[in-house]
């Protein structure tokens, strides 16, 4: 028995404001139900149709966030009504089009044709139909009459369309995919594995379709009545990142003034302009003599010197001299060129004259301006030197110093709380550990990653405001207390453990209770049970708005913890720190290994990459068995390969994209 979740979305300012009652939405629902009833009557198939009905104003964000959420929740069909006309408030097509992955013009034409048979005004409608993920999305006009016509025109094809969109892929989808076995004889085919977790031999197959359950807090229940299928739809990595980035807009981290010597790695929160020109005077580029270029080669009288920082030359002297003679001033690199001179001869192109120390022989003639830096030639006055949003590197600190700035306005950095969860954990400093227990490695690992990120990719998390909460046992009251404390003090909470299918995996239900669980599973390997939520803490005063905290509940397997951190926490940290490029650098690398692919999930395979001057490209070397509990698979890794989900292998010598996660040489 399959169940269809169908979303009906009425887009209308007046209905949203309650100034008009919506007829079209209810009409759609009744047409859908009666059509399917007829359909089921014929085919005998029994489908349960659940419809969700919402009304939103004519606003792109409102339409998109609901449609995206419904798609993530696995809806089969989404029908909107309203907002497809020509008036300024008609934005439904503009909201839906960017979400569509596959346009379905046939459906649009069917609707237009039907309506045009009725009235030529139908050409003033802008329908959009298309597929996003596994969902068919169709915009219908606003009027009930037009809804009836358009829906009647396409309903006969909709069930079949949905069937095609959700048809199983050709390749066999048995879940017993073989991959590098955890044991040493890696070429033995693993008969079955614990679903994607660390290699175990208590394997069982697991199906990937999920039934959509109402969004209510699910406890995993006790051992016996535990869910057999995760209630959390599996979404893809890009959509997950989109959701995270969107939620970042709810936080306002703010800016602060920092002394320039403490601003390295920070992002500028304002444009930086020069006031004075630099250099502020005409400066010599070389050591030698300042001359008047018109005097050419010959014997020159030395009138004094102008050294960088001090000068004995007095212009009165020149005025008192015989104009027919040639004059010069000793000059050093960086020194001010006296106004009466217009070029520099390098000391290598002169000769001393025996017994005449206040004369010199100039051997080469120079052009006007030779070896002189004009005023402002490095930095013009009143010019934009650094743009808002620029990362302050070493040179930028120097430029700020050159401009005489003592402090600068920079983006503040998000504060972070790190929490390890699990009854089996003891502090890593514990010498004798009781049987069945293990040391917590995730917290020290995560704290170190943040430090390394800050040093290599720009400051993206507060160094002072990173709070290690340590280990929290699998007890709801303990977890709730610590999460509440962390939410009050941090912008971002990073937990590890307790998010899969175990009866002590309490984190997801707790977050559904404490906040809003945005998504609970991602189609990736490792890292599938990654969970992302938001907790809103009411503000104490009406003045400032509620505080939102982003909660990243990473899977407990140490490698899953690290990989999901790089893929999902880093973009949030960077966006909140003011970066415009949220992701870590991406490169293309040539494989030095033949790697088996996972037929169900895209994989982030750990490698060491190095530039090869003979092959003119990065060469990647796998870190070995990729079991997600094997932290060794991250040892010396400085990149994550993006391997596609597919049968078969990624061949040695082929080019693959990789995310750079560490220094390119050790
Ligand atoms: N029946 C199913 N079981 C599992 C599934 C599934 O879909 N069905 N998913 C597997 C996958 S994939 C992953 S990833 C893990 C993630 O599970 P949790 O997030 O609940 O993690 P835990 O169960 O708490 O721990 C997993 C593993 O990692 C060790 N661990 C936990 N915290 C730490 C820490 N701070 N330092 C070091 N090691 C840690 C823990 O002892 C476990 O061995 O679920 C699979 N199961
Ligand atoms: O073990 Mo899991 O593969 O991290 O998702
Ligand atoms: Mg678990």
């Amino acid at each position: 028995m399959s169940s269809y979740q169908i979303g009906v979305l009425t887009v209308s300012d007046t209905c949203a404001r309650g100034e008009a009652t919506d007829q079209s939405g209810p009409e759609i629902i009744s047409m859908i139900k009666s059509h399917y009833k007829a359909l089921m009557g014929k085919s005998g198939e029994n489908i349960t149709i659940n419809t969700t009905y919402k009304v939103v104003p004519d606003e792109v964000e409102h339409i998109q966030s609901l449609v995206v959420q419904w798609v993530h929740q696995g809806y089969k069909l989404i029908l909107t009504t309203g907002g497809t006309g020509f008036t300024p408030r008609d934005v439904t097509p503009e909201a839906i089009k960017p979400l569509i992955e596959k346009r379905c013009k046939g459906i649009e034409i069917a609707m237009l044709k039907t309506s045009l048979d009725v009235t030529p005004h139908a050409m003033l409608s802008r329908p959009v139909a298309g597929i996003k993920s596994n969902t068919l999305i169709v915009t219908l006009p606003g009027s009930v009459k037009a809804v009836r016509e358009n829906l009647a025109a396409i309903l006969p094809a909709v069930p079949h369309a949905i069937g095609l969109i959700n048809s199983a892929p050709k390749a066999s989808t048995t879940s017993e995919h073989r991959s590098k076995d955890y044991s040493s004889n890696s070429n033995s085919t693993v008969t079955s594995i614990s679903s994607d977790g660390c290699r175990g031999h208590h394997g069982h197959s697991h199906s990937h379709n999920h039934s959509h359950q109402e969004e209510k807090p699910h406890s995993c229940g006790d051992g016996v009545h535990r869910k057999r299928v995760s209630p959390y739809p599996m979404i893809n990595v890009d959509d997950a990142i989109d959701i995270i980035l969107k939620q970042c807009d709810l936080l306002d981290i703010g800016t602060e003034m920092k002394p320039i010597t403490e601003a390295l790695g920070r992002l500028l929160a304002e444009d930086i302009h020069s006031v004075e020109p630099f250099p502020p005077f005409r400066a010599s580029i070389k050591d030698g003599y300042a001359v008047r270029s018109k005097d050419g080669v010959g014997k020159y009288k030395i009138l004094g010197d102008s050294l960088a920082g001090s000068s004995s030359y007095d212009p009165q002297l020149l005025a008192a001299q015989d104009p027919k003679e040639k004059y010069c001033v000793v000059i050093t690199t960086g020194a001010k060129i006296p106004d009466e001179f217009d070029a520099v001869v390098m000391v290598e192109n002169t000769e001393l004259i025996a017994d005449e120390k206040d004369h010199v022989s100039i051997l080469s003639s120079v052009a006007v301006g030779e070896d002189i830096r004009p005023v402002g030639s490095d930095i013009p006055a009143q010019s934009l030197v650094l743009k808002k949003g620029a990362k302050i590197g070493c040179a930028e600190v120097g430029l700020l110093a050159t401009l005489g700035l003592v402090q600068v306005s920079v983006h503040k950095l998000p504060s972070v709380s790190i929490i390890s969860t699990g009854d089996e954990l003891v502090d890593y400093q514990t010498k004798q550990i009781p049987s069945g227990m293990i040391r917590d490695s995730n917290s020290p690992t995560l704290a170190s990653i943040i430090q390394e990120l800050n040093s290599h990719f720009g400051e993206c998390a507060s160094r002072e405001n990173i709070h290690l909460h340590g280990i929290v046992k699998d007890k709801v009251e303990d977890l709730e207390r610590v999460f509440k404390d962390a939410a009050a003090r941090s912008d971002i909470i990073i937990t590890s453990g307790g998010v899969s299918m175990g009866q002590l995996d309490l984190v997801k239900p707790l977050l559904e209770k404490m906040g809003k669980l945005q998504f609970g599973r991602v189609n990736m390997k490792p890292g599938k049970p990654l969970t992302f939520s938001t907790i809103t803490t009411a503000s104490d005063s009406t003045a400032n708005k509620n505080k939102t905290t982003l909660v990243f509940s990473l899977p407990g397997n140490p490698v899953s913890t690290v990989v999901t951190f790089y893929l999902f926490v880093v973009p949030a940290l960077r966006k909140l720190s003011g970066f415009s490029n949220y992701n870590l650098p991406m490169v293309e690398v040539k494989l030095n290994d033949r790697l088996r692919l996972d037929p169900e999930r895209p994989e982030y395979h750990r490698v060491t990459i190095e530039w090869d001057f003979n092959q003119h490209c990065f060469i990647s070397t796998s870190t070995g068995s990729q079991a997600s509990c094997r932290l060794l698979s991250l040892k010396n890794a400085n990149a994550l390969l993006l391997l596609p989900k597919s049968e078969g292998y990624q061949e040695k010598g082929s080019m693959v994209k990789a995310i750079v996660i560490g220094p390119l040489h050790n």
Side-chain angles (χ1 to χ4, degrees), residues 436-457:
M437 307 296 271
I438 58 165
R439 291 187 180 86
D440 164 22
S441 65
N442 285 348
S443 287
T445 307
L446 290 170
S448 314
I449 295 181
I450 288 175
Q451 281 175 29
E452 181 170 68
L453 281 173
N454 280 342
S455 324
H456 288 285
F457 296 104

Side-chain angles (χ1 to χ4, degrees), residues 84 111 144 162 185 234 265 278 283 364 392 405 427 495 539 622 663:
T84 57
M111 294 196 287
V144 183
I162 292 174
N185 53 339
M234 182 114 73
F278 186 76
S364 68
I392 298 174
L405 288 168
D427 185 278
T495 72
S539 66
S622 167

